[in-house]
DNA sequence: GCAACTTCAATGATATATCATACATCTATA
DNA sequence: TATAGATGTATGATATATCATTGAAGTTGC
């Protein structure tokens, strides 16, 4: 049965969490998707990453990140200043509007997390994290991403 | 830190698994995506579901399923026969080619799973499943999907 | 038997995901 | 220092994801 397959449960849990999270962000009247938020946050923390670096951190493709950056820039949440030291790159900066969105989203994200994790102890979460990391490593070992 | 966030670990694990799984399916020379495979499988098991039913089972949207069905039909893996009892619907059937693909994929999926779950005991998996189910339920409680 | 409601599938709009490729620029080395 | 290779970004093609809406077809209640 599908329900006994662990990856089915994984998918189910993460998708439901995403629905909850996005719904609460929408309800708070903030116009951003979870994925955009994640990218914006990564850029806020490190403004010297290449698109590929960012992609690594959010487990996406460089092409996806390129499009998200272009969208976030179009929306005024991100600004790109060409880097004199490297003609291929730009320095990405979160704008005032971007900062505002990030700080608006923060409490919603925290509340989503605690809602979603109700009934799970710290020990549970540690165990869960370890198992997930184990799965990740197992899949990386033979994944054709050398 | 992002790495301490459980949903980050969840995302990371599932994405890596998907990469491994898709890579191994591709490597076996089978032209299907994991998502298409899942839909095809659900239809094989129950040929009397509506698109919304299928969407529920694969945790997707009815619109996504509609497009996947149309694609699978175009590729000849699925056939739709109009239902006389209901002018809106069609009976979906997995074709010979579809059956072939499903049976080709089966061993690859099994091998992917055991690869990915190496080092996790049955007890671990039960625990994992329970925690994921807990998260799912927590997120469903207030998810605006009544 | 028909009006109101519900169900089902299809599709437009927008965003994401991924691969492959194109193009520019940078770096290392022969 | 010319150039081969590496790196960084952008984009076409295709698939998926989601919401909202349309329109057809079924069901209910009166």
């Amino acid at each position: 049965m599908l329900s006994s397959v662990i990856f089915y449960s994984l998918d189910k849990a993460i998708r439901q969490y995403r629905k909850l999270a996005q719904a609460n962000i929408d309800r708070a009247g903030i116009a951003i998707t979870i994925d955009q938020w994640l990218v914006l946050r990564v850029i806020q923390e490190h403004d010297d990453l290449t698109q590929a670096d960012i992609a690594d951190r959010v487990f996406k493709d460089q092409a996806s990140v390129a499009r998200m950056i272009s969208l976030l820039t179009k929306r005024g949440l991100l600004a790109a200043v060409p880097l004199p030291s490297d003609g291929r790159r730009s320095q990405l900066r979160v704008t005032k509007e971007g900062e505002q969105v990030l700080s608006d989203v923060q409490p919603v994200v925290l509340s989503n997390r605690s809602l979603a994790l109700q009934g799970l102890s710290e020990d549970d979460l540690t165990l869960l994290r370890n198992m997930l990391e184990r799965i990740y490593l197992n899949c990386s070992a033979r994944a054709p991403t050398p």
Side-chain angles (χ1 to χ4, degrees), chain A:
Chain A
M1 283 300 92
L2 273 183
S3 56
S4 69
V5 175
I6 205 77
F7 295 101
Y8 192 74
S9 305
L10 260 174
D11 213 41
K12 186 172 154 186
I14 193 95
R15 279 175 195 271
Q16 200 70 12
Y17 175 71
R18 283 175 162 273
K19 277 184 197 166
L20 171 74
Q22 190 65 60
N24 285 337
I25 289 174
D26 293 349
R27 186 156 28 227
I30 310 168
I32 195 169
T33 68
I34 302 183
D35 294 302
Q36 290 169 6
W37 167 76
L38 192 55
V39 168
L40 202 55
R41 240 197 82 167
V42 167
I43 294 174
Q44 185 187 42
E45 286 178 1
H46 315 267
D47 60 359
D48 56 347
L49 300 177
T50 65
Q51 292 183 356
D53 290 336
I54 298 171
D56 274 353
R57 285 172 200 247
V58 300
F59 311 119
K60 292 180 202 292
D61 193 81
Q62 174 264 326
S64 303
V65 169
R67 283 168 173 124
M68 290 172 81
I69 286 175
S70 119
L71 190 64
L72 287 168
T73 303
K74 212 172 297 171
R75 295 220 176 137
L77 305 184
L78 213 53
V81 185
L83 269 181
S85 59
D86 188 333
R88 297 165 301 181
R89 305 189 45 194
S90 289
Q91 165 108 20
L92 293 172
R93 261 193 37 254
V94 177
T95 62
K96 278 267 184 306
E97 293 88 337
E99 301 276 2
Q100 185 61 49
V101 165
L102 281 175
S103 71
D104 288 350
V105 169
Q106 191 58 19
V108 180
V109 166
L110 292 180
S111 125
N112 286 340
R113 267 182 217 156
S114 66
L115 256 176
L117 298 179
Q118 268 171 11
L120 297 177
S121 68
E122 269 310 313
D123 285 353
D124 286 341
L125 293 183
T126 301
L127 203 57
L128 181 51
R129 236 189 299 277
N130 289 342
M131 288 196 271
L132 293 173
E133 182 67 15
R134 179 72 193 238
I135 291 174
Y136 171 76
L137 291 174
N138 284 342
C139 293
S140 307
R142 320 225 184 169
T145 321

